[in-house]
Amino acid sequence: MYIKVPKGTQDVLPENISKWYYIEGMIKEILNKYGYNEIRTPYFEYTDLFVRGIGESTDIVNKEMFTFPDRKGRSLTLRPEGTAPVVRAYLENRMDRISKVIKLFYLGPMFRCEKPQAGRFRQFTQFGIEIIGTKSSAADAEVILTVLEVYKKLGLKNIETVINSVGCKKCRANYIQKLKKYLKIKKDFLCSECKERYLKNPLRALDCKKESCKGIIEDAPIITENLCPECELHFAEVKSYLNSQKIIFHENPRLVRGLDYYTKTAFEFISGGLGAQNAIGGGGRYDDLVEELGGKPTPAVGFAAGLERMIIAIDQQKIEWPRGKGLDVFVAQVNEKNKDTVFKLLQEIRNNGLSADMDYSGGSLKSQMRMANKIEARYTIIVGEEELSKNMVILRNMQTKEQKELKIDNLINELS
Ligand code: HAM
């Protein structure tokens, strides 16, 4: 019995890698245009960063982290998300000294020990952006516009933009009191999880998917009707920026998201047809996180999207992937005794900046030609006995199927 890939993880096989290169390239191109610089943080951090950053009562911290001790017993955790690590790096590297506002992006694996299902993995890839150092509502709108541009350039349709405001420390505290008062009366009818949420984090009850809770939540006090004037103005400005760019969005006062650091704007992008795991990205403002992690008060806003879900959505919407760049030249040998010449030729082609390969299994010419076709080589060079005696080879254009004899010395010129 061979060992299988761990539950909730997957291999990206060579036949699929061009999809990843394409999406990653597109993301980087657009983020560059918007002025983001890439940051790469470690795949694991001290556990405390996530406990303090994401919030003790969240599902992520409570049940989804891959946590393990190092040899000295310090608790480490595979990063379940990128925002807390980016803020840690921002503080540790005193990035506030570089510029008042910093725009960062990241792209890489995240780890959550969730129950795997379609579109939900234990190792998944996020691209994320963070703007740290501004409370401007234009930054919130810019984050949304940036993400929508990525989706649009990839050809994705039916992406619903859902927004909400979860208020600030002050107005949210008042709202939570109201919500608790309301939930207290209905407590006996809440699901067991929401009964616990009622005590620890009542806001999370707002997006409970259980039918029993949905009905109760429908009549609950609405957060956007309980915002302080500052949060209300901020939310109105964000919506006005989006309207000015003709962005269609939907307001959902029950959108609270699964991380505790959000303040004011929260948003999510939903892709129709993805099933239960239909959130193709999400984010929001987190004005208190820098301070909570030891810095001075610094407002910030950001977003992250799962690349696997984006790929699933592209496939589901039958959007054609651009063709991967095949090999430039495949070198086929008629007789193995010419392998030294073939080896030299291969290297010469590569030294001239073209990609080239051969079949090391020593198969027949027919099977070598099959391989050249399979790997979508542009040209095949056939090194035959008779031609070689004249210092020549056969060059076959794999698309037009045209063949001609060519002096080896002229080969590179002809191919470039
Ligand atoms: P999040 O909503 O937890 O936000 O994750 C963002 C996106 O990552 C989701 O919308 C989804 O596309 C993808 N994702 C999450 N979990 C999984 C999973 N188990 N399998 C596959 N894909 C998944 C955050 O992580 C925040 N850090 C976003 C943010 C950045 N907020 C402010 N700045």
Side-chain angles (χ1 to χ4, degrees):
M1 257 283 275
Y2 50 83
I3 297 166
K4 295 215 168 111
V5 75
K7 207 172 154 186
T9 69
Q10 55 186 347
D11 300 309
V12 178
L13 298 176
E15 67 237 40
N16 285 324
I17 203 72
S18 61
K19 297 182 179 181
W20 286 83
Y21 288 164
Y22 169 64
I23 294 202
E24 289 165 1
M26 179 75 79
I27 289 169
K28 287 181 182 168
E29 193 185 305
I30 294 171
L31 297 186
N32 253 327
K33 196 174 80 173
Y34 279 84
Y36 291 89
N37 286 309
E38 183 171 0
I39 180 164
R40 298 186 187 187
T41 63
Y43 289 2
F44 58 86
E45 299 269 0
Y46 288 119
T47 305
D48 202 33
L49 173 71
F50 301 114
V51 177
R52 276 167 63 187
I54 302 172
E56 232 160 330
S57 61
T58 57
D59 283 353
I60 296 182
V61 169
N62 263 319
K63 27 182 190 184
E64 294 170 3
M65 296 205 301
F66 285 101
T67 297
F68 52 95
D70 71 6
R71 282 171 184 268
K72 293 210 165 136
R74 288 170 295 217
S75 182
L76 299 170
T77 290
L78 293 181
R79 60 180 190 190
E81 61 105 47
T83 311
V86 166
V87 171
R88 196 252 327 122
Y90 169 86
L91 289 170
E92 197 168 342
N93 296 288
R94 295 298 317 263
M95 288 193 205
D96 58 328
R97 287 186 185 165
I98 304 168
S99 154
K100 197 162 176 292
V101 178
I102 296 274
K103 292 171 83 170
L104 301 166
F105 86 87
Y106 48 91
L107 207 166
M110 304 292 160
F111 308 86
R112 294 186 193 174
C113 192
E114 295 188 78
K115 201 164 174 225
Q117 61 181 77
R120 194 205 270 161
F121 308 97
R122 290 187 169 173
Q123 178 180 323
F124 57 97
T125 316
Q126 272 189 352
F127 93 85
I129 58 184
E130 314 291 351
I131 309 183
I132 306 177
T134 176
K135 60 182 180 132
S136 165
S137 51
D140 306 37
E142 188 196 282
V143 169
I144 295 175
L145 288 175
T146 312
V147 180
L148 286 175
E149 182 164 337
V150 172
Y151 294 148
K152 190 173 164 200
K153 282 263 165 67
L154 291 171
L156 282 167
K157 296 192 183 69
N158 301 328
I159 304 284
E160 193 189 354
T161 306
V162 186
I163 65 169
N164 190 24
S165 173
V166 294
C168 62
K169 257 196 286 217
K170 278 179 284 164
C171 58
R172 194 172 39 218
N174 292 337
Y175 171 74
I176 287 175
Q177 286 312 317
K178 267 196 193 176
L179 181 65
K180 268 190 126 170
K181 218 164 130 188
Y182 170 82
L183 290 177
K184 195 174 176 184
I185 309 165
K186 317 267 175 182
K187 221 172 109 192
D188 292 346
F189 305 101
L190 292 171
C191 72
S192 55
E193 261 181 295
C194 282
K195 279 192 182 117
E196 209 166 300
R197 285 173 182 148
Y198 164 78
L199 295 171
K200 291 188 184 160
N201 194 349
L203 269 189
R204 295 283 299 136
L206 289 179
D207 73 349
C208 182
K209 307 283 180 288
K210 304 240 169 58
E211 280 311 315
S212 54
C213 296
K214 273 188 186 166
I216 298 173
I217 294 307
E218 244 162 52
D219 296 326
I222 287 176
I223 194 159
T224 39
E225 289 172 4
N226 288 277
L227 298 176
C228 63
E230 191 194 319
C231 289
E232 203 170 61
L233 176 67
H234 186 91
F235 195 37
E237 284 173 355
V238 173
K239 288 187 279 184
S240 159
Y241 278 120
L242 295 179
N243 282 326
S244 74
Q245 293 298 313
K246 304 201 168 25
I247 301 300
I248 297 167
F249 57 86
H250 166 78
E251 275 183 67
N252 178 0
R254 280 175 270 283
L255 175 75
V256 284
R257 314 234 333 107
L259 306 107
D260 275 356
Y261 48 60
Y262 292 112
T263 55
K264 295 184 176 164
T265 326
F267 47 84
E268 220 156 65
F269 301 91
I270 306 296
S271 171
L274 271 193
Q277 304 308 312
N278 59 3
I280 198 164
R285 182 160 276 287
Y286 50 95
D287 288 346
D288 302 328
L289 184 58
V290 176
E291 196 181 357
E292 267 155 27
L293 293 179
K296 54 181 195 291
T298 310
V301 59
F303 154 91
L307 267 69
E308 288 80 2
R309 289 190 193 170
M310 286 161 66
I311 291 176
I312 295 171
I314 291 173
D315 282 337
Q316 223 161 40
Q317 295 185 19
K318 303 210 172 2
I319 299 164
E320 217 169 294
W321 293 95
R323 288 178 76 80
K325 191 181 170 294
L327 196 73
D328 292 319
V329 187
F330 183 86
V331 184
Q333 60 186 7
V334 176
N335 191 327
E336 229 198 312
K337 79 172 202 260
N338 297 320
K339 64 180 192 309
D340 292 350
T341 313
V342 169
F343 187 79
K344 238 171 83 187
L345 199 57
L346 257 180
Q347 215 40 35
E348 199 184 330
I349 297 168
R350 290 168 181 156
N351 289 344
N352 279 279
L354 294 163
S355 58
D357 208 356
M358 65 172 285
D359 176 5
Y360 282 105
S361 73
S364 66
L365 185 61
K366 205 168 157 196
S367 83
Q368 292 179 65
M369 294 309 284
R370 260 202 308 271
M371 181 165 171
N373 262 322
K374 200 169 153 206
I375 58 179
E376 298 183 353
R378 274 197 305 134
Y379 291 100
T380 297
I381 291 168
I382 302 163
V383 183
E385 207 65 29
E386 202 188 310
E387 292 80 18
L388 209 55
S389 66
K390 299 182 273 174
N391 240 348
M392 293 181 104
V393 287
I394 297 170
L395 179 69
R396 180 177 170 90
N397 182 320
M398 298 300 280
Q399 221 167 28
T400 61
K401 314 265 184 263
E402 274 171 67
Q403 283 192 187
K404 61 179 170 191
E405 275 190 18
L406 204 73
K407 278 260 180 242
I408 292 184
D409 293 345
N410 296 339
L411 195 56
I412 298 297
N413 254 350
E414 180 79 20
L415 289 171
S416 337

